[in-house]
Amino acid sequence: MNSEELTFEQAFTQLEDIVTRLESGELSLDESVALYEQGQKLAQRCNEMLDGAELRIRQLGADGTLEPLE
């Protein structure tokens, strides 16, 4: 599944799994580099989703309706 198709929770879980595997020290250099690259993409996707959520929250007014950003 493409990282753009993942929910935040799915991407974060995959990222945690990658970190665990990298920290194990049992991978070859090539495997480690490939996992690191995959982890970077997942981290970027998580950050994008968090930024989008923050923007939506900022746009919400006190009454719960959407307000334009200043």
Coordinates of all heavy atoms in Angstrom, one line a residue:
M1 N 0.8 -1.2 0.0 CA 0.0 0.0 0.0 C 0.9 1.2 0.0 O 1.8 1.3 0.7 CB -0.9 0.0 1.2 CG -1.9 1.1 1.3 SD -3.0 1.1 2.7 CE -4.1 -0.2 2.3
N2 N 0.5 2.2 -0.8 CA 1.3 3.4 -0.9 C 1.1 4.3 0.3 O 0.1 4.3 1.0 CB 0.7 4.2 -2.1 CG 1.5 5.4 -2.5 OD1 2.3 5.9 -1.7 ND2 1.3 5.8 -3.7
S3 N 2.2 5.0 0.7 CA 2.1 5.7 2.0 C 1.0 6.8 2.0 O 0.5 7.2 3.0 CB 3.5 6.3 2.4 OG 3.8 7.3 1.4
E4 N 0.7 7.3 0.8 CA -0.4 8.3 0.7 C -1.8 7.7 0.9 O -2.7 8.5 1.2 CB -0.4 9.0 -0.7 CG 0.7 10.1 -0.8 CD 2.0 9.6 -1.4 OE1 1.9 8.8 -2.3 OE2 3.0 10.1 -1.0
E5 N -1.9 6.4 0.9 CA -3.2 5.8 1.1 C -3.4 5.3 2.5 O -4.5 4.9 2.9 CB -3.3 4.5 0.2 CG -3.2 4.9 -1.3 CD -3.1 3.6 -2.2 OE1 -3.1 2.5 -1.7 OE2 -3.1 3.8 -3.4
L6 N -2.4 5.5 3.3 CA -2.5 5.0 4.7 C -3.1 6.1 5.6 O -3.0 7.3 5.4 CB -1.1 4.8 5.3 CG -0.2 3.7 4.6 CD1 1.2 3.7 5.2 CD2 -0.9 2.3 4.8
T7 N -3.8 5.6 6.6 CA -4.3 6.5 7.6 C -3.1 6.9 8.5 O -2.0 6.2 8.4 CB -5.4 5.8 8.6 OG1 -4.7 4.7 9.3 CG2 -6.5 5.3 7.8
F8 N -3.3 7.9 9.3 CA -2.2 8.3 10.2 C -1.8 7.1 11.1 O -0.6 6.9 11.3 CB -2.7 9.5 11.1 CG -1.6 9.9 12.1 CD1 -0.6 10.7 11.7 CD2 -1.7 9.4 13.4 CE1 0.4 11.1 12.6 CE2 -0.7 9.8 14.3 CZ 0.4 10.6 13.9
E9 N -2.8 6.4 11.7 CA -2.5 5.3 12.6 C -1.7 4.2 11.9 O -0.8 3.7 12.5 CB -3.8 4.8 13.2 CG -4.5 5.8 14.1 CD -5.3 6.9 13.5 OE1 -5.4 6.8 12.2 OE2 -5.7 7.8 14.2
Q10 N -2.1 3.9 10.7 CA -1.4 2.9 9.9 C 0.1 3.3 9.6 O 1.0 2.5 9.8 CB -2.1 2.6 8.6 CG -3.4 1.9 8.8 CD -4.2 1.8 7.5 OE1 -4.2 2.7 6.7 NE2 -5.0 0.7 7.3
A11 N 0.2 4.5 9.2 CA 1.6 5.0 8.8 C 2.5 5.1 10.1 O 3.6 4.7 10.1 CB 1.5 6.4 8.2
F12 N 1.9 5.5 11.2 CA 2.7 5.6 12.4 C 3.0 4.2 12.9 O 4.2 4.0 13.4 CB 1.9 6.4 13.5 CG 2.7 6.8 14.7 CD1 3.5 7.8 14.6 CD2 2.6 6.0 15.9 CE1 4.3 8.2 15.7 CE2 3.4 6.4 17.0 CZ 4.2 7.5 16.9
T13 N 2.1 3.3 12.9 CA 2.5 1.9 13.3 C 3.6 1.3 12.4 O 4.5 0.7 12.9 CB 1.2 1.0 13.2 OG1 0.2 1.5 14.1 CG2 1.5 -0.4 13.6
Q14 N 3.5 1.5 11.1 CA 4.6 1.0 10.2 C 5.9 1.7 10.6 O 7.0 1.1 10.5 CB 4.2 1.3 8.8 CG 3.2 0.3 8.2 CD 3.0 0.5 6.7 OE1 3.8 1.1 6.0 NE2 1.9 -0.1 6.2
L15 N 5.9 3.0 10.9 CA 7.1 3.7 11.2 C 7.7 3.2 12.5 O 8.9 3.0 12.6 CB 6.8 5.2 11.4 CG 7.9 6.1 11.6 CD1 9.0 6.0 10.6 CD2 7.4 7.6 11.7
E16 N 6.8 2.9 13.5 CA 7.3 2.3 14.7 C 8.0 0.9 14.5 O 9.0 0.6 15.1 CB 6.2 2.1 15.7 CG 5.7 3.4 16.4 CD 4.5 3.1 17.3 OE1 3.6 2.3 17.0 OE2 4.5 3.8 18.4
D17 N 7.4 0.1 13.6 CA 7.9 -1.2 13.3 C 9.3 -1.1 12.6 O 10.2 -1.8 12.9 CB 7.0 -2.0 12.3 CG 5.7 -2.4 13.0 OD1 5.6 -2.4 14.3 OD2 4.7 -2.7 12.3
I18 N 9.4 -0.1 11.7 CA 10.7 0.2 11.1 C 11.8 0.6 12.1 O 12.9 0.1 12.0 CB 10.5 1.2 10.0 CG1 9.8 0.7 8.8 CG2 11.9 1.8 9.5 CD1 9.4 1.7 7.7
V19 N 11.4 1.5 13.0 CA 12.4 1.9 14.0 C 12.8 0.7 14.8 O 14.0 0.5 15.1 CB 11.8 3.0 14.9 CG1 12.7 3.3 16.1 CG2 11.6 4.3 14.1
T20 N 11.9 -0.2 15.2 CA 12.2 -1.4 16.0 C 13.2 -2.3 15.2 O 14.2 -2.7 15.8 CB 11.0 -2.1 16.4 OG1 10.1 -1.3 17.1 CG2 11.3 -3.4 17.1
R21 N 12.9 -2.5 13.9 CA 13.8 -3.3 13.1 C 15.2 -2.7 13.0 O 16.2 -3.4 13.0 CB 13.2 -3.6 11.8 CG 11.9 -4.5 11.9 CD 11.3 -4.8 10.5 NE 12.2 -5.5 9.7 CZ 12.1 -5.6 8.4 NH1 11.1 -5.1 7.8 NH2 13.0 -6.3 7.7
L22 N 15.2 -1.4 12.7 CA 16.5 -0.7 12.6 C 17.3 -0.8 13.9 O 18.5 -1.0 13.9 CB 16.3 0.7 12.2 CG 15.9 0.9 10.7 CD1 15.5 2.4 10.5 CD2 17.0 0.5 9.7
E23 N 16.6 -0.6 15.0 CA 17.3 -0.7 16.3 C 17.8 -2.1 16.7 O 18.7 -2.2 17.5 CB 16.4 -0.1 17.4 CG 16.2 1.4 17.3 CD 15.3 1.9 18.4 OE1 14.5 1.1 18.9 OE2 15.3 3.1 18.6
S24 N 17.3 -3.1 16.0 CA 17.7 -4.4 16.4 C 19.1 -4.7 16.0 O 19.8 -5.6 16.6 CB 16.7 -5.5 15.7 OG 17.0 -5.5 14.3
G25 N 19.6 -4.0 15.0 CA 21.0 -4.2 14.5 C 21.2 -5.5 13.7 O 22.3 -5.9 13.5
E26 N 20.1 -6.2 13.4 CA 20.2 -7.5 12.7 C 20.1 -7.4 11.2 O 20.1 -8.4 10.5 CB 19.1 -8.4 13.2 CG 19.3 -8.7 14.7 CD 18.2 -9.6 15.3 OE1 17.3 -10.0 14.5 OE2 18.2 -9.8 16.5
L27 N 20.0 -6.2 10.6 CA 19.8 -6.0 9.2 C 21.1 -5.7 8.5 O 22.1 -5.2 9.1 CB 18.8 -4.9 8.9 CG 17.5 -5.0 9.6 CD1 16.7 -3.7 9.4 CD2 16.7 -6.1 9.0
S28 N 21.2 -6.1 7.2 CA 22.3 -5.7 6.4 C 22.3 -4.2 6.2 O 21.3 -3.5 6.4 CB 22.3 -6.4 5.1 OG 21.2 -6.0 4.3
L29 N 23.4 -3.7 5.7 CA 23.4 -2.2 5.4 C 22.4 -1.9 4.3 O 21.7 -0.9 4.5 CB 24.8 -1.8 4.9 CG 25.0 -0.4 4.5 CD1 24.7 0.5 5.7 CD2 26.4 -0.1 4.0
D30 N 22.3 -2.7 3.3 CA 21.3 -2.4 2.2 C 19.8 -2.4 2.8 O 19.0 -1.5 2.4 CB 21.4 -3.4 1.1 CG 22.7 -3.2 0.3 OD1 23.2 -2.0 0.3 OD2 23.1 -4.1 -0.4
E31 N 19.5 -3.4 3.6 CA 18.2 -3.5 4.2 C 18.0 -2.3 5.1 O 16.9 -1.7 5.1 CB 18.1 -4.8 5.0 CG 18.0 -6.0 4.2 CD 18.1 -7.3 5.1 OE1 18.9 -7.3 6.1 OE2 17.4 -8.2 4.8
S32 N 19.0 -1.9 5.9 CA 18.8 -0.7 6.8 C 18.6 0.5 6.0 O 17.7 1.3 6.4 CB 20.1 -0.6 7.6 OG 20.2 -1.7 8.5
V33 N 19.3 0.8 4.9 CA 19.1 2.0 4.1 C 17.7 2.0 3.5 O 17.1 3.0 3.5 CB 20.2 2.1 3.0 CG1 19.9 3.2 2.0 CG2 21.6 2.3 3.7
A34 N 17.3 0.8 3.0 CA 16.0 0.8 2.3 C 14.9 1.1 3.4 O 13.9 1.8 3.1 CB 15.7 -0.6 1.7
L35 N 15.0 0.5 4.6 CA 14.0 0.7 5.6 C 14.1 2.2 6.1 O 13.0 2.8 6.4 CB 14.3 -0.2 6.8 CG 13.6 -1.6 6.7 CD1 14.0 -2.4 8.0 CD2 12.1 -1.5 6.6
Y36 N 15.3 2.8 6.2 CA 15.4 4.2 6.5 C 14.7 5.1 5.5 O 13.9 6.0 5.9 CB 16.9 4.6 6.6 CG 17.1 6.0 7.0 CD1 17.0 6.4 8.4 CD2 17.3 7.0 6.1 CE1 17.2 7.7 8.7 CE2 17.5 8.3 6.4 CZ 17.4 8.7 7.7 OH 17.6 10.0 8.1
E37 N 14.8 4.8 4.3 CA 14.2 5.6 3.2 C 12.7 5.4 3.3 O 11.9 6.4 3.2 CB 14.6 5.1 1.8 CG 16.1 5.5 1.5 CD 16.6 4.9 0.2 OE1 16.0 3.9 -0.3 OE2 17.6 5.4 -0.2
Q38 N 12.2 4.2 3.6 CA 10.7 4.0 3.8 C 10.2 4.7 5.0 O 9.2 5.4 5.0 CB 10.5 2.5 3.9 CG 9.0 2.2 4.0 CD 8.8 0.7 4.1 OE1 9.7 -0.1 4.1 NE2 7.5 0.3 4.3
G39 N 11.0 4.7 6.1 CA 10.7 5.4 7.3 C 10.6 6.9 7.1 O 9.7 7.6 7.6
Q40 N 11.5 7.5 6.3 CA 11.5 8.9 6.0 C 10.2 9.3 5.3 O 9.6 10.3 5.6 CB 12.7 9.3 5.1 CG 14.0 9.3 5.9 CD 14.0 10.4 6.9 OE1 13.8 10.2 8.1 NE2 14.1 11.7 6.5
K41 N 9.7 8.4 4.3 CA 8.5 8.7 3.6 C 7.3 8.6 4.5 O 6.4 9.5 4.5 CB 8.3 7.7 2.5 CG 9.3 8.0 1.3 CD 9.2 6.9 0.2 CE 10.2 7.1 -0.8 NZ 10.2 6.0 -1.8
L42 N 7.3 7.7 5.4 CA 6.2 7.5 6.4 C 6.2 8.7 7.4 O 5.1 9.2 7.7 CB 6.3 6.2 7.1 CG 6.0 4.9 6.3 CD1 6.4 3.7 7.1 CD2 4.5 4.9 6.0
A43 N 7.3 9.1 7.8 CA 7.4 10.2 8.8 C 6.9 11.5 8.1 O 6.2 12.3 8.7 CB 8.8 10.4 9.2
Q44 N 7.3 11.7 6.8 CA 6.8 12.9 6.1 C 5.3 12.8 5.9 O 4.6 13.8 6.1 CB 7.5 12.9 4.7 CG 7.0 14.1 3.9 CD 7.7 14.1 2.5 OE1 8.5 13.3 2.2 NE2 7.4 15.1 1.7
R45 N 4.7 11.7 5.6 CA 3.3 11.5 5.5 C 2.6 11.8 6.8 O 1.6 12.5 6.8 CB 3.0 10.1 5.0 CG 1.5 9.8 4.9 CD 0.8 10.6 3.8 NE -0.6 10.3 3.7 CZ -1.5 11.1 3.5 NH1 -1.2 12.4 3.2 NH2 -2.8 10.8 3.5
C46 N 3.1 11.3 7.9 CA 2.5 11.6 9.2 C 2.6 13.1 9.5 O 1.6 13.7 10.0 CB 3.3 10.8 10.3 SG 3.0 9.1 10.4
N47 N 3.7 13.8 9.2 CA 3.8 15.2 9.4 C 2.8 16.0 8.6 O 2.2 16.9 9.1 CB 5.2 15.7 9.2 CG 6.1 15.4 10.3 OD1 5.7 15.4 11.5 ND2 7.4 15.2 10.0
E48 N 2.6 15.6 7.3 CA 1.6 16.2 6.5 C 0.2 16.1 7.0 O -0.6 17.0 7.0 CB 1.7 15.6 5.1 CG 2.9 16.0 4.3 CD 3.1 15.2 3.0 OE1 2.2 14.3 2.7 OE2 4.1 15.4 2.3
M49 N -0.1 14.9 7.5 CA -1.5 14.7 8.1 C -1.7 15.5 9.3 O -2.7 16.0 9.6 CB -1.7 13.2 8.3 CG -1.9 12.4 7.0 SD -2.5 10.7 7.3 CE -0.9 9.9 7.6
L50 N -0.6 15.6 10.2 CA -0.7 16.4 11.4 C -0.9 17.8 11.1 O -1.7 18.5 11.7 CB 0.5 16.1 12.3 CG 0.5 14.8 13.0 CD1 1.9 14.6 13.7 CD2 -0.6 14.7 14.0
D51 N -0.1 18.3 10.1 CA -0.2 19.7 9.7 C -1.7 20.0 9.2 O -2.2 21.1 9.5 CB 0.8 20.1 8.6 CG 2.2 20.1 9.1 OD1 2.4 20.2 10.3 OD2 3.1 20.1 8.3
G52 N -2.2 19.1 8.4 CA -3.6 19.3 7.9 C -4.6 19.3 9.0 O -5.5 20.1 9.0
A53 N -4.4 18.4 10.0 CA -5.3 18.4 11.1 C -5.2 19.7 11.9 O -6.2 20.3 12.4 CB -5.0 17.2 12.0
E54 N -4.0 20.2 12.1 CA -3.8 21.4 12.8 C -4.5 22.6 12.1 O -5.1 23.4 12.7 CB -2.3 21.7 13.0 CG -2.1 23.0 13.8 CD -0.6 23.3 13.9 OE1 0.3 22.6 13.3 OE2 -0.3 24.3 14.7
L55 N -4.4 22.6 10.8 CA -5.0 23.7 10.0 C -6.5 23.6 10.2 O -7.1 24.7 10.4 CB -4.6 23.6 8.6 CG -5.2 24.6 7.6 CD1 -4.8 26.0 8.0 CD2 -4.8 24.3 6.2
R56 N -7.1 22.5 10.1 CA -8.5 22.3 10.3 C -9.0 22.8 11.6 O -10.0 23.4 11.8 CB -8.9 20.9 10.0 CG -8.8 20.5 8.6 CD -9.1 19.0 8.3 NE -10.3 18.6 8.9 CZ -10.6 17.3 9.2 NH1 -9.7 16.4 8.9 NH2 -11.7 16.9 9.7
I57 N -8.2 22.5 12.7 CA -8.6 22.9 14.0 C -8.5 24.4 14.1 O -9.4 25.0 14.7 CB -7.7 22.2 15.1 CG1 -8.0 20.7 15.1 CG2 -7.8 22.8 16.4 CD1 -7.0 19.9 15.9
R58 N -7.5 25.0 13.6 CA -7.3 26.4 13.6 C -8.5 27.1 12.9 O -8.8 28.3 13.2 CB -6.0 26.9 13.0 CG -4.8 26.6 13.9 CD -3.5 27.0 13.3 NE -2.4 26.6 14.1 CZ -1.4 27.4 14.4 NH1 -1.4 28.6 13.8 NH2 -0.4 27.1 15.1
Q59 N -9.0 26.5 11.9 CA -10.1 27.1 11.1 C -11.4 27.0 11.8 O -12.3 27.8 11.5 CB -10.2 26.4 9.7 CG -9.1 26.7 8.8 CD -9.1 26.0 7.5 OE1 -9.7 24.9 7.4 NE2 -8.6 26.5 6.4
L60 N -11.5 26.1 12.8 CA -12.8 26.0 13.5 C -13.0 27.2 14.4 O -12.1 27.5 15.2 CB -12.8 24.7 14.3 CG -13.0 23.4 13.5 CD1 -12.9 22.2 14.4 CD2 -14.3 23.5 12.8
G61 N -14.1 27.8 14.4 CA -14.4 28.9 15.3 C -14.9 28.3 16.6 O -15.0 27.1 16.8
A62 N -15.1 29.2 17.5 CA -15.6 28.8 18.9 C -16.9 28.1 18.8 O -17.2 27.3 19.7 CB -15.7 30.1 19.8
D63 N -17.7 28.4 17.8 CA -19.0 27.8 17.7 C -19.0 26.5 16.9 O -20.0 25.9 16.6 CB -20.1 28.7 17.1 CG -19.7 29.2 15.7 OD1 -18.6 28.8 15.2 OD2 -20.5 29.9 15.2
G64 N -17.8 26.1 16.5 CA -17.6 24.8 15.7 C -17.8 24.9 14.3 O -17.7 24.0 13.5
T65 N -18.0 26.2 13.7 CA -18.1 26.3 12.3 C -16.8 26.8 11.7 O -15.9 27.3 12.4 CB -19.2 27.4 12.0 OG1 -18.8 28.6 12.5 CG2 -20.6 27.0 12.5
L66 N -16.6 26.5 10.5 CA -15.4 26.9 9.8 C -15.3 28.4 9.6 O -16.2 29.0 9.2 CB -15.3 26.2 8.5 CG -14.1 25.4 8.2 CD1 -13.8 24.3 9.2 CD2 -14.1 24.8 6.8
E67 N -14.1 29.0 10.0 CA -13.8 30.4 9.8 C -12.6 30.5 8.9 O -11.7 29.7 9.0 CB -13.6 31.1 11.1 CG -14.8 31.1 12.0 CD -14.5 31.8 13.3 OE1 -13.3 32.3 13.5 OE2 -15.4 32.0 14.2
P68 N -12.6 31.5 8.1 CA -11.3 31.7 7.2 C -10.2 32.1 8.1 O -10.3 32.7 9.1 CB -11.7 32.8 6.3 CG -12.9 33.5 7.0 CD -13.6 32.5 7.8
L69 N -9.0 31.6 7.7 CA -7.8 32.0 8.4 C -7.4 33.5 8.1 O -7.7 34.0 7.0 CB -6.6 31.1 8.0 CG -6.6 29.7 8.5 CD1 -5.4 28.9 7.9 CD2 -6.7 29.6 10.0
E70 N -6.8 34.2 9.0 CA -6.4 35.6 8.8 C -5.1 35.6 8.1 O -4.3 34.9 8.2 CB -6.4 36.3 10.2 CG -7.7 36.3 10.8 CD -7.6 36.9 12.3 OE1 -6.6 37.6 12.5 OE2 -8.5 36.6 13.0

